Amino acid sequence: MNPMKALELHSVFKSFGEITAVNDLSLTVDRGEMYALVGPDGSGKTTTIRMLCGIVKPTSGELRVLGFDVQKQKEEVKKRIGYLSQKFSLYGDLTIDENIEFFAEIHGVYDYKARRNELLEFTRLTPFRDRLAEKLSGGMKQKLALACTLIHTPEIIFLDEPTTGVDPVSRRDFWKVLAALLKTGITIIMTTPYLDEAERCSRVALMDNGNILMADTPANLKKVMNGEVVEIVCSDIRRSFALMKKHHSVKEVQAFGDRLNIVINSSVADMQQILVHLQENMITVNDWRVVKPSLENVFISLLTDRKKV
Amino acid sequence: MYRKLRPIIVKEFRQIKRDRRVLSILTLVPAMLLLLNGYALNFDVRDIKMAVYDGENSSQSRELINSFLTAGYFEYTEHLTDYTQAQSLIDEGTVKLVLVIPPDFSRDIISGRQASIQLLVDGMDANAATTIIGYAQAVTQQYSQKIVLQNLSKIGRKSYIPINYEARIWYNPEMKSAKFLVPGLIAFILAITGVIATALSIVKEKERNTIEQIDVSPVKPLSLILGKMIPYALISLVAAALVLVAAYIMFDVTVKGSLLLLFFATLLFVCAALGQGLLVSTIADSQQVAFQIAAVVSMLPTMILSGFMFPIKSMPLFLQIISNITPAKFYLVIMRGIVLKGVGIEAFWQQLIYLLIFITVVVTISVKRFKQHTV
């Protein structure tokens, strides 16, 4: 009931027939936050966002957006939110200008011209404003979609995997736009499969099986990591990868070109034994060091721990 | 209200302008259909090809043949020398009718016995055959009367035919089937274009997922539906007007009654067709499926059950009941009333009310189903 909160979810359930997509989800997000929902496919991220936008009805539970009940005060909510869906669809047969005009007017914004120019400047789409949307590149489409979601100056925007399928340069562009947006006081809720993107958010919720495993700032999340991440630079990455995978004290291995990242309980206790094991198998270890865990390490270790339980 | 509809209407017009497929369905197809159907659908039975086997070759028999030829319906093609030729001529379809006069034809007449003639009619097209028999009967009857009169005057009795009838055909005096068909064609065309165009335009939003963006906006389902219907209604009305003009140029069909009433009734019918399209769009999820359902829903009933080609009164009872599902049935009554008879609203107010009910029901169900898709 707190209008100062951007989102409040209390024990929300959603099932589609037999499948439970969202399972007893509770969550609070403050205004002005950039909040990321991450998790494997089918963990309930998109369903959660769709429930918050009022497209999907929850089976039970309470959802509040900006203090308004999504079920009972749908109209109030709709006025104040913007939603960029996974495959946001623009009208390919309308120009950039016409698309923005349409989305402005269906949101009851008739005096949109100044804001449109501003958004086009901001997304650097001004030179293409008369081009049909279907003739734009993937990154441009995504920026246009964002402009359309922002035209009615929403207080909170929901972005469902906004950068999936966008090239790295456009992705960075898009993030610049988001960072600038955040300064205007808007609240951003997003889902993303890219954990490096999630690290830029103020808080991250790790979702699995329709529930939040853990939600905190990226820095705090990394602290709860069980064990340490060690980077090993060595020869014959493929064979070493296989060796590490089988090793009893190694919880997780990832290969990156000329190096391996392994997750172990403690470098002090286990590392000696691992190095010996590698050498016995004719692997030359050039270097090793303890590195800061990435969100990816945290997430994978959390997920594997959970599966073991 | 208009402010809420305007963005959707403007957007729809922009898209129609750029989508050649929809634009051509809406404008070219009606004209083409009129042209094709108007000329191809011809129920007129004229210039019936006939052959004659005259077994007698008397002045009497030639007189009978002559009365056939001067009646205006028959076209003489061949004089048979052998009775068996008749069969092959009818089999080949060269002639529709063979008149067979027996060798003792005039002898019978002169001696006061009843003479017989034989008509061989190609019954493949039952409607045409019935008409041919009717014409032939009339010709024979007239000729018989002539003989009766002649015989009576021979024995010195003044005679007359007790009843003289004079048939006047109202509303379509030349009995041209085009005049009867054109109103039906307009209904047919409007039904097809209306249902298909609306269904496609809404399903396209579903297919491309743009509907979701409208869902999260404050636009209400009814506004979306009305905003979509209005442009198509306007275009359909223009198409209807074009078809009427084309019908005037090609088939000489003029509107006898009030144009205003015709406009109003057509508007209602267009709304009914768009409503059906809407309903189809709530069922189908892809443009392909939508197109197929829409084509079946609009074309078949309008063609078969509306009375466009087959009179409803001669259908079995259960089909007569089913025929009520097609709004074209009611619009046709109104159309034919206004265009051919020039009657006023008192002749078809029931049909107008039915159309209104139909629109209300269909649109209500559609709006409900539209809301439901928010699971």
Side-chain angles (χ1 to χ4, degrees):
Chain A
M1 290 295 276
N2 187 346
M4 286 316 290
K5 294 284 181 200
L7 296 186
E8 288 170 281
L9 283 80
H10 297 295
S11 49
V12 174
F13 286 86
K14 173 68 196 179
S15 44
F16 297 101
E18 299 275 289
I19 303 150
T20 305
V22 172
N23 189 1
D24 194 17
L25 183 78
S26 296
L27 173 70
T28 315
V29 177
D30 288 322
R31 287 198 180 212
E33 271 200 89
M34 168 134 53
Y35 197 100
L37 298 175
V38 298
D41 288 344
S43 57
K45 302 175 305 245
T46 299
T47 309
T48 306
I49 292 228
R50 288 164 66 89
M51 280 194 287
L52 285 165
C53 294
I55 304 168
V56 170
K57 278 184 198 146
T59 310
S60 68
E62 191 190 9
L63 297 107
R64 285 185 173 275
V65 172
L66 303 163
F68 298 105
D69 188 305
V70 178
Q71 291 307 301
K72 293 175 197 138
Q73 293 160 294
K74 215 179 204 165
E75 299 312 311
E76 294 300 318
V77 173
K78 280 182 173 181
K79 269 186 235 163
R80 293 172 172 82
I81 63 165
Y83 172 45
L84 183 63
S85 69
Q86 222 165 45
K87 39 168 205 169
F88 182 94
S89 354
L90 300 152
Y91 292 97
D93 44 2
L94 296 185
T95 64
I96 288 186
D97 266 358
E98 288 166 352
N99 266 295
I100 299 181
E101 175 190 325
F102 175 70
F103 285 107
E105 290 190 338
I106 62 168
H107 280 96
V109 179
Y110 303 101
D111 185 19
Y112 53 84
K113 291 212 167 92
R115 171 102 177 138
R116 180 169 68 185
N117 288 340
E118 198 181 294
L119 284 169
L120 288 180
E121 249 347 282
F122 184 52
T123 50
R124 289 188 282 151
L125 286 172
T126 315
F128 313 103
R129 58 194 310 164
D130 292 323
R131 197 182 283 188
L132 292 183
E134 65 193 359
K135 303 240 161 74
L136 297 174
S137 72
M140 280 158 87
K141 273 185 194 157
Q142 209 60 10
K143 285 195 289 188
L144 171 57
L146 184 67
C148 290
T149 4
L150 292 171
I151 185 72
H152 59 293
T153 334
E155 294 171 45
I156 177 165
I157 52 173
F158 296 96
L159 313 177
D160 195 0
E161 302 201 359
T163 54
T164 305
V166 175
D167 70 87
V169 177
S170 306
R171 231 175 98 188
R172 206 167 54 190
D173 244 28
F174 191 80
W175 270 91
K176 273 187 200 153
V177 173
L178 286 188
L181 256 183
L182 208 58
K183 286 188 191 135
T184 65
I186 200 169
T187 310
I188 302 176
I189 313 292
M190 68 186 311
T191 71
T192 176
Y194 304 115
L195 288 139
D196 59 321
E197 285 189 343
E199 296 209 33
R200 303 183 185 209
C201 293
S202 57
R203 279 201 293 157
V204 179
L206 301 180
M207 286 191 74
D208 189 35
N209 285 327
N211 204 339
I212 293 178
L213 288 184
M214 199 165 281
D216 214 324
T217 60
N220 284 343
L221 279 174
K222 288 174 189 173
K223 282 184 204 149
V224 303
M225 168 95 186
N226 231 337
E228 282 176 282
V229 182
V230 176
E231 185 181 87
I232 305 172
V233 184
C234 57
S235 65
D236 204 348
I237 293 294
R238 251 207 233 170
R239 207 155 54 83
S240 358
F241 181 85
L243 284 169
M244 289 296 94
K245 196 105 198 173
K246 283 182 206 142
H247 198 278
H248 60 92
S249 53
V250 175
K251 302 205 293 196
E252 177 64 36
V253 199
Q254 275 179 294
F256 298 97
D258 65 338
R259 63 199 64 198
L260 291 177
N261 265 15
I262 58 168
V263 179
I264 50 178
N265 278 332
S266 150
S267 58
V268 181
D270 303 323
M271 213 42 213
Q272 202 52 43
Q273 195 197 351
I274 288 169
L275 290 173
V276 170
H277 181 64
L278 283 174
Q279 267 151 15
E280 278 168 359
N281 286 284
M282 316 301 282
I283 303 271
T284 332
V285 176
N286 300 321
D287 191 15
W288 71 271
R289 62 193 178 106
V290 177
V291 292
K292 269 194 186 165
S294 68
L295 263 186
E296 192 155 344
N297 297 128
V298 178
F299 194 21
I300 290 172
S301 89
L302 274 172
L303 282 180
T304 29
D305 284 355
R306 187 182 160 114
K307 264 171 208 146
K308 278 174 193 156
V309 172
Chain B
M1 191 66 189
Y2 173 68
R3 274 204 134 182
K4 284 193 171 164
L5 294 181
R6 204 192 77 98
I8 299 162
I9 297 174
V10 169
K11 179 203 97 169
E12 221 47 53
F13 270 124
R14 280 179 176 152
Q15 288 185 306
I16 295 169
K17 196 178 72 190
R18 290 188 185 130
D19 190 340
R20 299 232 168 88
R21 194 163 48 159
V22 170
L23 204 60
S24 67
I25 287 183
L26 289 174
T27 53
L28 291 178
V29 172
M32 216 176 66
L33 281 177
L34 179 74
L35 194 72
L36 284 178
N37 289 315
Y39 284 112
L41 277 181
N42 198 338
F43 295 153
D44 295 350
V45 183
R46 258 162 219 288
D47 306 327
I48 305 154
K49 297 226 169 19
M50 77 178 279
V52 178
Y53 173 70
D54 190 350
E56 191 181 54
N57 240 330
S58 64
S59 64
Q60 201 100 44
S61 70
R62 276 195 297 272
E63 214 178 338
L64 175 68
I65 294 166
N66 222 26
S67 52
F68 264 88
L69 298 185
T70 51
Y73 303 111
F74 302 100
E75 192 189 317
Y76 179 80
T77 57
E78 229 170 311
H79 195 96
L80 306 183
T81 48
D82 186 356
Y83 179 69
T84 53
Q85 284 174 296
Q87 169 133 31
S88 61
L89 278 179
I90 287 182
D91 283 355
E92 289 158 13
T94 337
V95 298
K96 293 268 176 231
L97 171 73
V98 179
L99 171 65
V100 181
I101 303 172
D104 45 6
F105 178 65
S106 58
R107 215 182 324 140
D108 280 345
I109 292 179
I110 291 162
S111 55
R113 283 194 297 269
Q114 193 175 38
S116 308
I117 57 166
Q118 189 182 36
L119 289 169
L120 300 172
V121 182
D122 180 357
M124 201 150 66
D125 178 350
N127 279 329
T130 317
T131 316
I132 293 171
I133 292 169
Y135 290 154
Q137 243 166 16
V139 173
T140 322
Q141 209 92 54
Q142 244 171 13
Y143 186 67
S144 304
Q145 275 171 6
K146 210 173 118 190
I147 295 169
V148 171
L149 290 180
Q150 277 172 357
N151 287 349
L152 285 173
S153 65
K154 262 186 214 153
I155 54 169
R157 279 184 62 180
K158 232 178 109 187
S159 64
Y160 66 102
I161 299 163
I163 298 172
N164 181 29
Y165 80 91
E166 203 174 308
R168 288 232 177 108
I169 296 153
W170 278 10
Y171 306 131
N172 184 4
E174 305 96 345
M175 301 239 286
K176 278 192 186 147
S177 50
K179 288 207 169 172
F180 178 71
L181 285 176
V182 163
L185 268 179
I186 294 177
F188 183 63
I189 291 161
L190 288 180
I192 294 177
T193 54
V195 177
I196 294 178
T198 338
L200 283 187
S201 99
I202 296 177
V203 171
K204 198 156 75 185
E205 303 248 357
K206 278 210 243 177
E207 217 173 54
R208 297 188 188 165
N209 207 27
T210 41
I211 196 127
E212 205 164 78
Q213 301 303 326
I214 298 174
D215 267 357
V216 294
S217 78
V219 170
K220 298 213 166 60
L222 186 66
S223 306
L224 172 67
I225 286 169
L226 287 179
K228 286 231 160 226
M229 279 172 83
I230 289 169
Y232 287 102
L234 287 177
I235 294 174
S236 298
L237 283 176
V238 172
L242 284 177
V243 171
L244 265 184
V245 171
Y248 172 71
I249 296 169
M250 290 191 281
F251 304 110
D252 219 15
V253 175
T254 49
V255 178
K256 291 238 169 67
S258 147
L259 276 173
L260 190 71
L261 264 179
L262 183 66
F263 168 78
F264 180 64
T266 306
L267 183 66
L268 278 188
F269 179 66
V270 164
C271 288
L274 298 184
Q276 280 179 297
L278 209 64
L279 195 58
V280 170
S281 74
T282 66
I283 298 164
D285 281 323
S286 72
Q287 288 191 67
Q288 230 177 351
V289 175
F291 185 85
Q292 281 165 1
I293 301 181
V296 169
V297 164
S298 59
M299 232 182 281
L300 286 181
T302 311
M303 183 98 98
I304 296 166
L305 295 177
S306 69
F308 170 28
M309 292 207 238
F310 313 109
I312 293 168
K313 287 208 174 101
S314 56
M315 289 175 191
L317 184 66
F318 83 98
L319 269 188
Q320 286 195 27
I321 294 167
I322 291 176
S323 74
N324 287 319
I325 59 161
T326 164
K329 172 183 170 182
F330 301 88
Y331 178 58
L332 261 182
V333 175
I334 304 172
M335 263 302 251
R336 285 181 176 150
I338 297 175
V339 174
L340 297 177
K341 297 187 186 170
V343 291
I345 197 160
E346 66 283 349
F348 49 74
W349 58 272
Q350 288 137 306
Q351 278 79 8
L352 284 178
I353 288 174
Y354 176 86
L355 284 179
L356 276 174
I357 295 173
F358 186 90
I359 296 168
T360 319
V361 171
V362 170
V363 173
T364 313
I365 297 175
S366 305
V367 173
K368 278 231 170 82
R369 286 189 56 97
F370 238 91
K371 283 182 179 157
Q372 262 168 21
H373 86 112
T374 312
V375 193

